Amino acid sequence: MPFVLSDTPASTGLPGGFLALAACVALLAGPGRAQAQSPSVYYICPGNVFTNTITSKEAESRGCKAREAQQPTTIAGPRVKAPAGPATTARSDGERVDSAEQKSRDTDARRILDGELRKEEAALEAMKREYNNGEPERRGDERNFQKYQDRVSELKAAITRKEADVAALRRELGKLPS
């Protein structure tokens, strides 16, 4: 597969080193290699044009310099260490939490979720009272009917979100052991 690469500002915005690397990679790219002189020879012509489609005589007449393609250098990156276990526990692998401590954790979780559920249910009831089945009382700043309708739709959306929150809290409470 013949190639011609140019590094002029009009053709690419890439640095010349990248194009030289691309030329080397294209030369080593497989069975469809260029068949100019040898598959490992390419030419750098004036104007930073890289090609393997010309013969050595054409290269001399154009003032191109022959280069031999080399295998790309591969440098291994640094090894990433596996993250340590959770910072809150200093337990070794295989060690379990004793049942009393787990029961204490479950009790704390249930107490916290119960408190959140009560708070969310109270907020939901307050929103439903204000919504008044889709007909909340008009405020003094809502002389424009569109403002009133906007507030009603915002209240309805907020109630829907709050109901989803309450349902999620109930699901979480259902997952905890009794």
Side-chain angles (χ1 to χ4, degrees):
M1 148 173 35
F3 71 92
V4 176
L5 294 174
S6 174
D7 188 29
T8 58
S11 65
T12 66
L14 301 172
F18 176 78
L19 291 175
L21 178 61
C24 291
V25 170
L27 282 171
L28 300 171
R33 292 181 182 163
Q35 298 173 4
Q37 186 178 32
S38 157
S40 63
V41 174
Y42 66 97
Y43 300 96
I44 302 176
C45 299
N48 284 333
V49 175
F50 295 77
T51 183
N52 68 343
T53 60
I54 60 177
T55 63
S56 59
K57 290 181 182 178
E58 290 175 316
E60 281 183 34
S61 67
R62 292 184 186 178
C64 302
K65 296 180 182 178
R67 297 281 189 240
E68 190 169 326
Q70 300 173 358
Q71 290 290 331
T73 303
T74 304
I75 300 171
R79 294 182 182 245
V80 179
K81 293 182 180 179
T88 58
T89 62
R91 300 189 183 277
S92 65
D93 293 339
E95 190 174 342
R96 294 179 170 250
V97 177
D98 63 332
S99 62
E101 186 176 344
Q102 186 61 47
K103 193 170 188 175
S104 170
R105 289 180 184 181
D106 291 342
T107 304
D108 289 344
R110 179 170 292 283
R111 184 179 42 81
I112 291 168
L113 286 173
D114 278 335
E116 286 292 319
L117 180 61
R118 276 187 261 117
K119 185 174 76 172
E120 293 295 318
E121 285 176 336
L124 178 61
E125 287 304 315
M127 287 178 164
K128 284 183 176 180
R129 277 193 304 274
E130 183 181 355
Y131 185 64
N132 194 20
N133 291 325
E135 298 176 3
E137 292 186 28
R138 285 182 114 174
R139 295 180 182 164
D141 64 339
E142 294 174 336
R143 292 182 185 152
N144 183 349
F145 187 68
Q146 184 61 45
K147 271 184 138 178
Y148 173 74
Q149 285 181 328
D150 290 344
R151 184 170 67 95
V152 170
S153 64
E154 287 174 9
L155 277 171
K156 185 175 181 180
I159 288 171
T160 304
R161 283 191 305 271
K162 194 62 76 174
E163 286 173 341
D165 292 345
V166 167
L169 285 169
R170 286 187 177 143
R171 276 193 309 273
E172 288 299 316
L173 277 170
K175 290 179 186 178
L176 291 176
S178 297

